Amino acid sequence: MTLKLGLIGYPLGHSASPWIHENFMKKIAETGTYEKFTIEPGPDFGERIATLKSANLDGFNVTVPHKETIIPYLDELSEDAKNMGAVNTVAQVNGKWIGYNTDGSGYVRSLENAYPELTTDKEQKIIILGAGGAARGIYYALMKAGYHTIDLANRTVSTAKEIATLNDGKVHTRIKTLEEAEATIGEYDVIIQTTSVGMEPNVQASIISLKHLKEKTIVSDIVYKPLDTKFLTEAKTYNGRIHYGHAMLLYQALYAFEIWSGKEVPIENMDEALKAYVQRSN
Ligand code: ATR
């Protein structure tokens, strides 16, 4: 089998996805390509998508700003993608485009892989900082994974409230301002930073101070440029346990690749290798 894969988004810049998927192909001894398609948002979007369809890809990833706008062009949606209202993975099956979302599930797998005690202890108190697309996917996937307490804090409280409407009734969710989150951060076992605050070039920014952090708290930041964000650096000074941003990238890609190839990929060593790759290209 030769896999013909791709990525659409704008701007694509230096994406790590081609490197990740080319490595996955090697691991299962398949050949193939993973090509970047820079597609600008705007009136030509439909035309560009029609051209993409004629490229006859087996599958492609969708990144910013098209995760929602791609939906009308798809033939089917997975339950996760429907609930999240966003697609990051499209698979072509007999000419039909099927949309999936592996961002949230990829994130949760990366977290549980790094901290296996989480797989059996769902009583851990979690707070998500931010309420954009990434936060929505992570909230939904944590809920599906069975966590009982998932709070949300955001600068704009109304968007956090909107995410909480995904609650199936089994999760306890409080909505907080960022100031309230900062003051009560010592209550949590897992803190997940999902905003772009701290990303290059604004590396001196941090969403909240962690001065009230409890020791051994798992502190996660989905930003991976740089890997050592100011947020994580501060967490280390208070003896937090760190979860780096590149891990979500790896596992959302793994789930996407497994959908396209129909095979399980052994990814031992890839975590460290991707970390090094991301650091080299930082
Ligand atoms: P994504 O889809 O990648 O998650 P997004 O939808 O643009 O990105 O969401 C960005 C998140 O970062 C939001 O929670 C946003 O807060 P608002 O909802 O109040 O806009 C948050 N964010 C971005 N810049 C911020 C800043 N300077 N301070 C606080 N929050 C910020």
Side-chain angles (χ1 to χ4, degrees):
M1 178 164 68
T2 299
L3 288 164
K4 212 173 156 194
L5 306 173
L7 168 68
I8 69 165
Y10 180 85
L12 285 177
H14 189 89
S15 164
S17 293
W19 183 90
I20 297 174
H21 288 285
E22 282 156 16
N23 272 287
F24 288 163
M25 288 185 223
K26 278 185 213 151
K27 285 199 179 282
I28 60 163
E30 297 283 5
T31 53
T33 51
Y34 186 96
E35 198 182 332
K36 291 198 283 184
F37 297 88
T38 300
I39 299 183
E40 281 189 49
D44 295 341
F45 185 69
E47 220 170 282
R48 298 293 310 272
I49 294 300
T51 311
L52 187 73
K53 197 137 205 179
S54 58
N56 201 26
L57 299 172
D58 297 303
F60 58 96
N61 284 128
V62 183
T63 189
V64 181
H66 302 315
K67 289 186 183 188
E68 291 161 17
T69 45
I70 191 70
I71 292 177
Y73 300 91
L74 305 177
D75 299 294
E76 283 173 39
L77 280 184
S78 73
E79 195 202 328
D80 283 6
K82 227 180 266 171
N83 284 319
M84 290 180 201
V87 161
N88 79 324
T89 300
V90 176
Q92 193 239 119
V93 180
N94 300 327
K96 279 191 174 173
W97 275 1
I98 305 172
Y100 298 86
N101 195 311
T102 69
D103 284 332
S105 53
Y107 175 80
V108 173
R109 173 133 171 226
S110 78
L111 186 70
E112 292 186 345
N113 189 55
Y115 296 101
E117 70 267 28
L118 294 177
T119 54
T120 48
D121 183 2
K122 301 298 183 200
E123 299 300 332
Q124 307 267 344
K125 288 198 172 62
I126 302 177
I127 186 164
I128 297 174
L129 307 175
R136 188 178 178 86
I138 290 171
Y139 179 85
Y140 178 77
L142 287 168
M143 181 179 86
K144 276 192 65 175
Y147 291 92
H148 297 149
T149 303
I150 316 168
D151 290 348
L152 286 157
N154 195 38
R155 177 177 63 182
T156 310
V157 167
S158 57
T159 52
K161 281 190 184 150
E162 210 282 314
I163 291 182
T165 62
L166 288 169
N167 190 348
D168 59 7
K170 296 192 188 90
V171 184
H172 185 64
T173 295
R174 286 170 299 179
I175 306 295
K176 296 189 173 183
T177 62
L178 292 174
E179 292 72 25
E180 287 165 345
E182 183 173 301
T184 58
I185 211 73
E187 292 175 13
Y188 295 95
D189 305 302
V190 183
I191 299 162
I192 306 170
Q193 196 306 104
T194 70
T195 77
S196 51
V197 177
M199 193 187 287
E200 285 175 1
N202 302 313
V203 297
Q204 284 313 316
S206 197
I207 189 78
I208 57 169
S209 154
L210 293 172
K211 60 178 182 268
H212 301 303
L213 191 75
K214 181 175 75 177
E215 280 200 4
K216 303 269 168 55
T217 299
I218 297 169
V219 182
S220 173
D221 194 334
I222 70 163
V223 169
Y224 58 91
K225 280 183 184 203
L227 274 173
D228 279 295
T229 55
K230 187 176 179 206
F231 188 71
L232 291 185
T233 304
E234 193 186 1
K236 279 185 210 167
T237 67
Y238 295 112
N239 292 324
R241 292 187 289 164
I242 303 305
H243 185 55
Y244 285 109
H246 71 288
M248 175 178 181
L249 189 66
L250 178 62
Y251 284 91
Q252 62 76 29
L254 177 72
Y255 280 140
F257 190 82
E258 289 182 349
I259 290 168
W260 297 325
S261 67
K263 292 187 178 164
E264 273 187 36
V265 185
I267 62 160
E268 71 282 353
N269 309 330
M270 282 245 349
D271 190 295
E272 282 306 309
L274 177 61
K275 201 169 163 193
Y277 178 83
V278 168
Q279 263 163 333
R280 275 201 304 278
S281 50
N282 263 342

